[in-house]
Amino acid sequence: MTETLGPLVGHVHSDDLPWVDAGPVGLQVLRVSADTWVVRNRFRAGFQLPKHKHTGGVHAYTFSGRWQYAEYGIDYVGGTFIYEPPGSIHTLTILEDSDILFIIEGAFIEFAPDGSISGVTDGESTLNAYYALCDAAGVPRPEGILQ
């Protein structure tokens, strides 16, 4: 019996993908598919993402820094891995400059202070924003993002 290897394993090296800044947030997109997107963010201390709800699960690994979800009061520091179950609602708050990798399934729904929906972010919209930031910075759009 002969075994086959199946599909090739995709890979990308972070040095091959540019970092772009959107104010206090550095962004690097590593993968975007129909249901999952992978980003690495470098947040400056004091940044806060609006309260939001995830439609799918989220895995995150903190390389450095300190941050928390305002609702939980738990500090996540370098070396911390977390999992957010689908339906999780929280407000990401950066306490120290932080470098975090997120693996996000589905989308997240942002809420305005009055509780109304103020936006929806998914892999496709994040990739489009990444490309627009590359264009604005005069950085060639990367070709190595995994699909």
Side-chain angles (χ1 to χ4, degrees):
M1 171 156 84
T2 303
E3 291 187 39
T4 61
L5 295 176
L8 292 177
V9 173
H11 69 280
V12 64
H13 195 282
S14 63
D15 288 346
D16 296 333
L17 300 173
W19 281 97
V20 292
D21 291 319
V25 179
L27 173 64
Q28 188 179 53
V29 176
L30 291 100
R31 180 175 188 256
V32 175
S33 71
D35 60 354
T36 304
W37 40 298
V38 180
V39 296
R40 189 168 173 185
N41 291 118
R42 291 180 178 158
F43 297 104
R44 290 193 199 120
F47 175 77
Q48 188 173 66
L49 192 65
K51 182 180 278 191
H52 59 280
K53 175 181 180 177
H54 290 278
T55 63
V58 176
H59 302 262
Y61 180 79
T62 304
F63 292 99
S64 64
R66 184 169 64 98
W67 62 284
Q68 63 179 224
Y69 292 122
E71 295 79 5
Y72 310 146
I74 300 168
D75 288 0
Y76 306 116
V77 298
T80 302
F81 173 82
I82 67 163
Y83 172 70
E84 305 168 16
S88 178
I89 299 174
H90 46 249
T91 308
L92 182 142
T93 304
I94 303 298
L95 305 171
E96 297 174 359
D97 289 355
S98 297
D99 183 353
I100 309 164
L101 175 76
F102 293 97
I103 302 166
I104 304 163
E105 299 166 352
F108 68 80
I109 302 164
E110 288 186 12
F111 299 108
D114 68 1
S116 64
I117 294 174
S118 59
V120 176
T121 301
D122 62 8
E124 183 178 354
S125 64
T126 299
L127 182 60
N128 289 336
Y130 181 63
Y131 286 152
L133 289 165
C134 287
D135 294 346
V139 173
R141 290 183 178 192
E143 297 179 10
I145 297 171
L146 296 176
Q147 301 294 317

